[in-house]
Amino acid sequence: MSEPGSGQGGTHSGERVCPSNPNVSCGDCRLGDLCLPITLDAGEINQLDEIVKRGRPLKRGDALYRQGEKFTSVFAVRSGSVKSFQTALDGEERVTGLYLPGEILGMGGISSMQYDNTAVALETASVCEIPFHLLEELSVKIPSLQGRFFRLMSQEITKDQKMLTMVSTNTAEERVSALLLSISARNHHRKLSQTCFILPMTRAEIGSYLGLTLETVSRIFSRLQKQGLIKVDNKEITIEELDGLKALAKVSS
Amino acid sequence: MSEPGSGQGGTHSGERVCPSNPNVSCGDCRLGDLCLPITLDAGEINQLDEIVKRGRPLKRGDALYRQGEKFTSVFAVRSGSVKSFQTALDGEERVTGLYLPGEILGMGGISSMQYDNTAVALETASVCEIPFHLLEELSVKIPSLQGRFFRLMSQEITKDQKMLTMVSTNTAEERVSALLLSISARNHHRKLSQTCFILPMTRAEIGSYLGLTLETVSRIFSRLQKQGLIKVDNKEITIEELDGLKALAKVSS
DNA sequence: CGATAAGTTGAACTGGCTCAAGTCATGTGG
DNA sequence: CCACATGACTTGAGCCAGTTCAACTTATCG
């Protein structure tokens, strides 16, 4: 039904500007209004463009950075998807974030000057690397870039706190529903289908992210399907009753 | 044993500079090396000083800001303690943060331009209010202030993710131990006793913060006391076996 | 001093976990 | 291109950490 790598970015294979083309600049990038440059004018985007490094596409499992490494850059997902996770003392991985195209990651490393988690591609993905010391210098020259970055970090704080509230209060069913709705809303924001998408994570990764076991995640999917709220075909999810799912998730957005 | 308001700040009542004196400037504040100005030189501190508003002390229950209100300022705790919480759809309060002297709060409001939680004083407290638009302007002029604020926000992200990992994986015992150790470490950093302190929150608030019920928190306290790791006298906690508690908490710091 | 909020402790219950036994998809080497 | 290995997923049964409900004690404060 879908070859590997088609999860999030692949549905756009017919576009003018290929999202994994390393030569596309920030001004041309179709994610322009989601990513860092959103509030910048053309001249400023060019300045930002010069400090952005665009590497070759990553394969599933490739790391953007690793927990404990010296912090150098933040990253913007251009296509595909990325997860971040912390490795506990016992070696267990705990997923802390899922990042889709247009989203920024790595900001947790700024304070301690080393990355506080590991980020790996969940599928074939391309990312922009933004060396932080250059971004800082540029932010002093372009106040609106500083403002944009303050806002981005604030967004991450808000997101994490929402997640924290959810994991510590909501039931398994509410958490799984909320995750599906979150992916749905982010797809919608990127002009993709909000009712049908490929899950970029395995059941185990979803469980780790939501504080559940993989068996519970699987059972909830089956239950939601039985209730007619979603259709599950392996990793392909179709939301049949968006409002019903929202009622179940008990979250504002 | 201790009158209200003596929890965190009151133990310093014999100091030269009274922490609730609204006339003390950033340069004179005994929290100087914990709070915002940490990396600034004398001239820069004076500039920051001019934008900081120091109101009269807050009483227990007074709000610094409320969820949904227009975002205007971030706040630094000068003395006392502050909690932040989100109000769910059903009206339930979920504690999302505990802030002790020298710590900054309110940064979650920057992105959406409205506060994403409510912050109230847990005891008599004094705070500095820093209007954000002035802080932004000043940050462009003082690059090290921009850097400092980037680092502060990053710290908040790291803290939240650590909390998220903890709440979704650790047992009740580990969570309670970790909170006690966190308060202990923060007290130590502020040159207060790391083994004996007054809990600024009720059992219900601690439970809400850690994703537990108040009964469980109470039971864990009793259990830890029975094991000889801590001594509990209502809100006064004495850590008897710091290393034992650390072993139990299973956290790095 | 009396009212009310905070905290403790016990007993029974339950949502999600653990363990187990399978099926199904994906990909690899012969 | 098939066979087989391996990882991903599903489903069931029993269990347990933490919840819920309840009764009580202890602090706080007008």
Side-chain angles (χ1 to χ4, degrees), chain A residues 171-172 211-213 215-216 219 234:
Chain A
T171 64
L212 301 169
T213 58
E215 291 96 330
T216 299
R219 274 186 255 268
N234 199 16

Side-chain angles (χ1 to χ4, degrees), chain A residues 155-188:
Chain A
Q155 217 168 63
E156 187 82 6
I157 292 171
T158 299
K159 193 200 74 183
D160 286 348
Q161 288 202 3
K162 216 168 169 177
M163 197 73 194
L164 178 62
T165 307
M166 192 177 73
V167 167
S168 68
T169 36
N170 295 31
T171 64
E173 203 169 67
E174 288 162 358
R175 293 183 221 177
V176 171
S177 307
L179 177 63
L180 294 181
L181 288 170
S182 166
I183 294 173
S184 163
R186 285 143 84 186
N187 275 0
H188 189 53

Side-chain angles (χ1 to χ4, degrees), chain A residues 9 22 25 67 69 88 131 149 180 213 240:
Chain A
S25 73
Q67 188 169 347
E69 269 178 21
F149 204 69
L180 294 181
T213 58
E240 311 258 54

Side-chain angles (χ1 to χ4, degrees), chain A residues 60-71:
Chain A
R60 174 176 170 79
D62 287 351
L64 283 72
Y65 55 79
R66 289 181 189 282
Q67 188 169 347
E69 269 178 21
K70 187 177 180 322
F71 170 80

Side-chain angles (χ1 to χ4, degrees), chain B residues 199-217:
Chain B
L199 285 174
M201 295 197 282
T202 65
R203 305 290 190 265
E205 286 166 331
I206 293 170
S208 172
Y209 189 35
L210 300 177
L212 301 169
T213 58
L214 69 96
E215 292 94 332
T216 300
V217 174

Side-chain angles (χ1 to χ4, degrees), chain B residues 59-70:
Chain B
K59 291 187 303 295
R60 174 176 171 80
D62 287 350
L64 282 72
Y65 54 80
R66 289 181 190 282
Q67 188 170 346
E69 269 179 18
K70 186 177 180 324

Side-chain angles (χ1 to χ4, degrees), chain B residues 41-54:
Chain B
D41 67 32
E44 291 166 346
I45 288 181
N46 284 338
Q47 287 184 72
L48 178 62
D49 220 44
E50 276 172 27
I51 70 169
V52 173
K53 292 198 274 183
R54 294 172 194 82

